[in-house]
Amino acid sequence: MKVQANYFITGSITLILLFFINISLGSVHIPLKEIFKILSFQEASNATWEYIIFSYRLPKAVTAIIVGSGLAVSGLLMQTLFRNPLAGPYVLGLSSGASLGVACLLMAGSWFGSVFQTEITSSYSIILASSLGSFLVLLAVLAMAAKVKNTMAILIIGLMFASFTGAVVSILSFFSSAEKLQQYIFWSFGSLGDLNWKEVSLLSLCWAIGLILALCTLKNLNALLLGESYARSLGTKITQNKFIIILATSLLAGSITAFAGPIAFVGIAVPHLVKVVIKGSNHFILYPASIMTGSALMLICDTIAQLPGSEYTLPINAITALFGAPIVIWLLTRKKKITL
Amino acid sequence: MPKKTVLHTENLSIGYKNKKIASVNDFFLEESDFVAVIGINGAGKSTLLNTLTGNLPPIHGDIKINKRSLQKFSLQERAKEISIVLSKTEILTPLTVTEVIALGRQPYTNWIGKLSSLDKEIIKKSLKQLDIEFLQNSYCNQLSDGQLQKVMLARAVAQDTSLIFLDEPTAHLDLYHKIYVLKLLKDLTKKTKKTIVFASHEIDLCLQLCDKIILVKNNQVFLETPENLIKKNHLSELFPENIVKFDKNLKKFTIL
């Protein structure tokens, strides 16, 4: 109990600190005093700074929080549903679906003449293509989930979807121009900074619905820790619960992938991190802890990715894995048994 | 005062959609009955338990729990009448004994699973009834098979149902613990007035300890007292007679 209380207190203070650090660092140096002024809606001494904070850094920080927490929660849901520590938000093939959508748009799209060219590469059409891709995969997975009773079969079906779409993307890449290929690769690096407020609010709507749906399944997730037979004997509606979990994950991971690209690693790593530190399996504790830790981790990764003081931004996808993977390996080697 | 009937069957046939396994002679289970389900491998013990717990719809006939048809129970209502303990439980996560037992209160708690003071009292009581209070803060993935079995049983007791079904509760235990668990179960039926039904291969032990025995044999299911089961020669034909034979006087199987 005490560990948990400490975790939440230190966690929330760290989160607030990280949020301010994230906003105050970037390619343009803005004095801390000015940042506080701007955030409290006072006149800043430089209008450009105000613009940078409100139109670039603030939406980016909010996106980081949404992405980190959303992926962490969907990873948690998947790990418990599939009773598999390797499951993550993308096991259902959502990111592959999104990749396929974007690949089709960028690479196959160019075959249909240059008429649409300018339209095609705008950020909105990428979001649309990516959502459409994940949505189609989601429909396929949900249809399978309704038909196939075995939870493990769904996991394998998700992996097969990923292989299948991966193959299609490979074929598309083989036939496309270097320029288009580069564009696709840049998308697959992931990016938190390209969203305006309108897009951020749309993303946060999906995020909020996803989190609420996830909240409704927490009691059942606890029962599922004993396996499906016990869960059913405790009154859990297994199929309905599975449906809600898949829907919540798809909403969270799907919308995040659409707006920020496929962000690897956070979804698998954060639930592990949380479980190691808290040493418990009660989802009513793991859920808020995952939200907090996911947000914090994403803010750190984003702060590093933008290489404060320089004008370069590293691919966020590389940073999450580069810094996160060693941490998880370190945490897991410290204890004897891998837990779900 | 006559004992209360908890479960009875009416013209029941069990099996799967296109394969009937057995027809069941109507039987009654009363409160604090300690009942074993016996039969050779593949006879349909699991099918019977699955049907009686409502996980498998009967192909014909009806099961009544407290005079109400099992099919009419919602999942949650059923969870208040029937609890189960499986032969092998795998807990992969760090869950404490108290947390696992608390899960038994799920049918009674609200959507965030908040435990009332009554719930907490019942959890404490079931820890005590199975004599595992000293384990209450241990993690389940560090317990022995026998201890874990007791924890799962305590969870079923905390679920506060009139019936507890167990699938081969003694399968992974040595002889001492087999007898220990069966006596514990019997004790529980007398202390809590719950009806306990379990599938078992320990026929010798069941004959000595159980109030009633359900025999699954040759596509037939019927309930008898242990004495009648022996008297009517039902056990002598249970296994093919060239290897093992039932000795009526010793009340056990002997090797030929």
Side-chain angles (χ1 to χ4, degrees):
Chain A
M1 271 301 147
K2 206 170 165 225
V3 180
Q4 291 156 9
N6 285 341
Y7 189 84
F8 282 110
I9 293 166
T10 18
S12 30
I13 295 168
T14 318
L15 191 59
I16 294 167
L17 268 175
L18 284 171
F19 185 76
F20 282 111
I21 293 172
N22 184 278
I23 286 174
S24 56
L25 293 176
S27 50
V28 177
H29 175 76
I30 305 173
L32 209 58
K33 217 171 111 190
E34 296 292 326
I35 288 173
F36 280 113
K37 256 192 196 168
I38 294 167
L39 286 181
S40 52
F41 297 106
Q42 290 167 23
E43 194 79 13
S45 44
N46 187 334
T48 326
W49 289 346
E50 217 174 294
Y51 178 78
I52 289 175
I53 296 284
F54 274 122
S55 313
Y56 184 71
R57 289 191 191 173
L58 212 51
K60 185 159 67 69
V62 173
T63 310
I65 289 175
I66 291 175
V67 168
S69 54
L71 290 178
V73 167
S74 35
L76 178 68
L77 296 183
M78 290 295 104
Q79 287 180 5
T80 304
L81 178 65
F82 292 119
R83 282 166 80 82
N84 189 329
L86 277 177
Y90 293 136
V91 284
L92 298 176
L94 289 173
S95 66
S96 336
S99 308
L100 185 65
V102 174
C104 284
L105 175 83
L106 290 178
M107 304 197 272
S110 61
W111 298 340
F112 299 110
S114 51
V115 190
F116 307 108
Q117 207 63 315
T118 45
E119 292 296 318
I120 278 170
T121 44
S122 80
S123 73
Y124 265 112
S125 49
I126 288 183
I127 291 170
L128 203 67
S130 154
S131 318
L132 211 64
S134 359
F135 187 67
L136 285 179
V137 171
L138 158 71
L139 280 188
V141 170
L142 281 180
M144 297 285 175
K147 216 173 163 188
V148 181
K149 281 265 156 66
N150 189 340
T151 309
M152 282 307 148
I154 299 173
L155 185 68
I156 296 168
I157 289 169
L159 289 174
M160 291 304 115
F161 269 122
S163 307
F164 182 79
T165 50
V168 177
V169 171
S170 298
I171 293 172
L172 285 175
S173 327
F174 184 76
F175 286 110
S176 57
S177 67
E179 185 202 347
K180 291 288 158 197
L181 197 57
Q182 194 187 32
Q183 224 176 348
Y184 172 73
I185 298 218
F186 274 144
W187 173 81
S188 70
F189 282 161
S191 162
L192 303 175
D194 295 339
L195 304 187
N196 59 36
W197 279 115
K198 220 164 112 195
E199 290 159 345
V200 171
S201 38
L202 194 57
L203 175 59
S204 44
L205 182 70
C206 296
W207 172 78
I209 297 171
L211 284 191
I212 291 169
L213 282 176
L215 193 64
C216 300
T217 66
L218 294 183
K219 181 177 170 184
N220 294 339
L221 285 173
N222 278 344
L224 274 176
L225 290 174
L226 300 179
E228 285 190 8
S229 307
Y230 277 121
R232 194 182 301 111
S233 84
L234 287 167
T236 305
K237 292 175 184 135
I238 299 289
T239 315
Q240 184 194 319
N241 185 52
K242 199 183 295 175
F243 194 84
I244 298 175
I245 290 174
I246 292 176
L247 194 64
T249 305
S250 310
L251 255 176
L252 289 168
S255 64
I256 288 167
T257 313
F259 284 97
I263 309 277
F265 190 78
V266 182
I268 296 179
V270 171
H272 278 294
L273 249 153
V274 170
K275 284 172 200 167
V276 170
V277 178
I278 284 186
K279 209 172 181 299
S281 309
N282 184 351
H283 285 83
F284 286 101
I285 292 161
L286 294 179
Y287 173 82
S290 294
I291 291 179
M292 218 168 63
T293 315
S295 314
L297 193 75
M298 214 56 209
L299 282 173
I300 296 174
C301 288
D302 179 57
T303 312
I304 298 169
Q306 60 196 344
L307 289 176
S310 83
E311 49 193 285
Y312 295 106
T313 307
L314 295 177
I316 187 76
N317 230 338
I319 303 299
T320 48
L322 206 59
F323 286 85
I327 297 177
V328 172
I329 292 173
W330 175 67
L331 279 171
L332 289 179
T333 46
R334 278 192 340 159
K335 39 187 239 137
K336 289 172 204 112
K337 235 175 169 179
I338 293 189
T339 47
L340 200 75
Chain B
M1 201 177 92
K3 285 203 279 183
K4 195 177 130 207
T5 300
V6 179
L7 180 149
H8 71 276
T9 63
E10 290 172 357
N11 284 324
L12 187 65
S13 292
I14 58 168
Y16 303 90
K17 248 181 222 152
N18 35 27
K19 191 182 168 222
K20 185 174 155 180
I21 304 274
S23 31
V24 180
N25 293 10
D26 290 357
F27 65 77
F28 294 81
L29 299 180
E30 293 164 321
E31 61 179 11
S32 36
D33 270 354
F34 186 47
V35 188
V37 179
I38 61 174
I40 63 172
N41 283 332
K45 294 193 297 292
S46 304
T47 312
L48 177 65
L49 284 188
N50 272 328
T51 313
L52 292 180
T53 51
N55 283 333
L56 189 68
I59 32 182
H60 186 262
D62 206 359
I63 300 158
K64 299 259 169 91
I65 306 268
N66 294 329
K67 305 212 168 72
R68 183 170 166 219
S69 173
L70 183 58
Q71 302 294 311
K72 296 213 171 79
F73 281 80
S74 76
L75 224 49
Q76 198 178 359
E77 285 169 337
R78 203 176 84 194
K80 291 178 182 175
E81 294 298 341
I82 296 174
S83 58
I84 61 165
V85 177
L86 304 175
S87 59
K88 185 85 182 162
T89 311
E90 235 189 328
I91 297 183
L92 307 159
T93 40
L95 270 175
T96 67
V97 168
T98 312
E99 281 174 325
V100 169
I101 297 175
L103 287 177
R105 297 305 297 167
Q106 275 211 351
Y108 306 90
T109 56
N110 64 1
W111 71 279
I112 56 164
K114 183 157 172 40
L115 298 170
S116 67
S117 51
L118 175 71
D119 292 324
K120 284 177 188 158
E121 214 171 281
I122 290 174
I123 293 165
K124 259 193 198 147
K125 208 168 122 195
S126 31
L127 274 165
K128 199 171 174 186
Q129 271 169 338
L130 286 152
D131 212 14
I132 48 173
E133 285 154 304
F134 68 102
L135 288 175
Q136 56 180 314
N137 294 318
S138 316
Y139 284 93
C140 284
N141 42 11
Q142 293 161 354
L143 301 181
S144 72
D145 281 354
Q147 286 173 329
L148 186 60
Q149 191 70 11
K150 276 206 219 168
V151 173
M152 297 316 288
L153 196 55
R155 188 205 57 86
V157 171
Q159 201 173 329
D160 200 17
T161 55
S162 33
L163 284 144
I164 301 178
F165 286 88
L166 301 97
D167 188 19
E168 297 190 29
T170 54
H172 300 275
L173 307 176
D174 60 39
L175 183 63
Y176 167 76
H177 283 99
K178 276 185 210 285
I179 297 171
Y180 179 88
V181 166
L182 290 182
K183 287 192 84 156
L184 186 82
L185 288 172
K186 177 161 189 161
D187 225 36
L188 219 52
T189 56
K190 307 310 165 210
K191 260 198 277 187
T192 59
K193 298 243 163 127
K194 292 181 197 307
T195 307
I196 291 184
V197 182
F198 66 103
S200 181
H201 288 296
E202 322 297 334
I203 301 176
D204 302 355
L205 298 177
C206 295
L207 286 174
Q208 295 175 54
L209 284 165
C210 292
D211 304 313
K212 291 169 182 170
I213 287 181
I214 297 174
L215 184 64
V216 185
K217 194 174 94 175
N218 303 334
N219 304 325
Q220 283 287 319
V221 176
F222 50 89
L223 181 125
E224 284 287 1
T225 59
E227 297 77 42
N228 280 339
L229 211 57
I230 297 170
K231 220 187 280 169
K232 292 182 185 170
N233 272 333
H234 284 308
L235 290 171
S236 49
E237 303 144 27
L238 186 58
F239 299 116
E241 286 197 339
N242 50 357
I243 296 178
V244 59
K245 194 179 145 234
F246 187 76
D247 189 318
K248 265 181 157 183
N249 301 321
L250 291 172
K251 293 186 181 177
K252 65 200 259 188
F253 286 91
T254 50
I255 300 166
L256 288 176

